[in-house]
Structures are given as structure tokens and as C-alpha cells.
Amino acid sequence: MRIVIQRVSSASVTIGGNVKSAIGKGYLILMGVEESDSESDAEWLVKKVVGLRVFDDENGVMNLNIGQVGGEILVVSQFTLFASTKKGNRPSWLRAARHEISVPLYEFFCRRLKEEMGRKVGTGEFGADMKVLLVNDGPVTICIDTKNKE
């Protein structure tokens, strides 16, 4: 699994002209799943996301996690995180998982985040044409891949 976390002041997902989810201060997480991913990968990522200390403390140092600042989370599926551009100019999506693997893992990840945070987690709609709007705070953008745990 691969995620891109963006610390945001606000973020939203619009589908067909209707806002599906919107958050204030927190994380917009773009999530890609590949064939070899499992629930244990999702669990590892949940712990990383919840524990990540990228919010400023009283001294202006990035030392607080999302729970400590009462932040919100919006998770958007994005298979394009596994684009391969090695050959030519048209990306290949061969590493991206099929729906029967990626949908349950996306849903599991969102459910586990909700349980760990003790609050609602906003989502997009898997496979939909989504318009994502965000105000990146910092900017702070962090990429985490479960294949790089060590």
C-alpha cells in the first residue's frame, strides 16, 4: 500500500457536483493498493497515520499527532499512485490491485482509522470521477509505502 498524506487546513471531495465529504484541519490521504497488499499492511499504515507528529506544538515545532490537535481525516482511493512510467509516456497500471482486492482493503483502512481516531473519517467513492479540493497547510506532504517498513 502506498499513501500520500497532506496536512490540510481544509479538504473536500465532490462527485457529480455534490460534496461527498469535507473536513477542516487534518489530513487528506491519497491511497493506492497493489495486488500483494493485506490487512496487516493497512494496520501498519493506520498506526503510522495516527502516530505521525506533523502538527505544531506551542513552540512551533512539529511535535503533535492528529489526535492531539483534534484533526479530521479524508481518505481518497487513488490507483494512479502505482503508475509505472518506465516505458514510453503512457503510464502502466499493472501494479495497482484489482477492485476485489483494493475495495475491501480501502474500506478496512478507513474503518480502522475511524476506530483508532474515535471519530468519523471522510471518504471519496471508489472508482468515481472525483474532484478533490484542498488547502495544503505548510505545505506538508509525506509519502509512506508499506514495502519500505524497514
Side-chain angles (χ1 to χ4, degrees):
M1 293 178 137
R2 183 174 291 164
I3 62 174
V4 175
I5 300 173
Q6 296 183 336
R7 187 180 75 181
V8 298
S9 299
S10 63
S12 65
V13 174
T14 301
I15 302 168
N18 298 312
V19 175
K20 166 90 166 70
S21 296
I23 64 167
K25 178 180 184 174
Y27 293 147
L28 169 65
I29 299 176
L30 306 175
M31 177 185 183
V33 178
E34 64 180 320
E35 293 287 325
S36 61
D37 289 330
S38 67
E39 286 187 356
S40 66
D41 291 312
E43 282 288 350
W44 183 82
L45 279 176
V46 166
K47 299 292 187 211
K48 281 292 196 187
V49 168
V50 171
L52 193 63
R53 300 183 319 173
V54 295
F55 291 94
D56 291 349
D57 64 16
E58 65 279 356
N59 298 313
V61 177
M62 286 197 285
N63 201 29
L64 301 176
N65 66 41
I66 190 157
Q68 292 171 307
V69 299
E72 300 176 278
I73 297 177
L74 172 58
V75 183
V76 176
S77 62
Q78 190 168 1
F79 75 94
T80 60
L81 291 178
F82 283 104
S84 173
T85 56
K86 288 183 180 180
K87 295 181 183 178
N89 292 318
R90 184 172 184 267
S92 166
W93 318 113
L94 293 176
R95 287 187 56 202
R98 295 168 283 133
H99 281 226
E100 54 269 19
I101 292 171
S102 53
V103 172
L105 284 175
Y106 170 77
E107 291 172 351
F108 177 81
F109 177 75
C110 293
R111 185 173 59 254
R112 288 292 298 123
L113 270 177
K114 178 182 176 182
E115 292 167 1
E116 288 292 318
M117 293 290 297
R119 62 173 31 136
K120 182 182 174 203
V121 170
T123 61
E125 183 177 311
F126 202 91
D129 179 24
M130 297 176 273
K131 306 303 179 206
V132 180
L133 181 66
L134 71 135
V135 177
N136 194 318
D137 179 18
V140 174
T141 302
I142 297 173
C143 302
I144 304 175
D145 193 316
T146 57
K147 300 302 185 256
N148 296 324
K149 291 178 188 174
E150 307 300 316

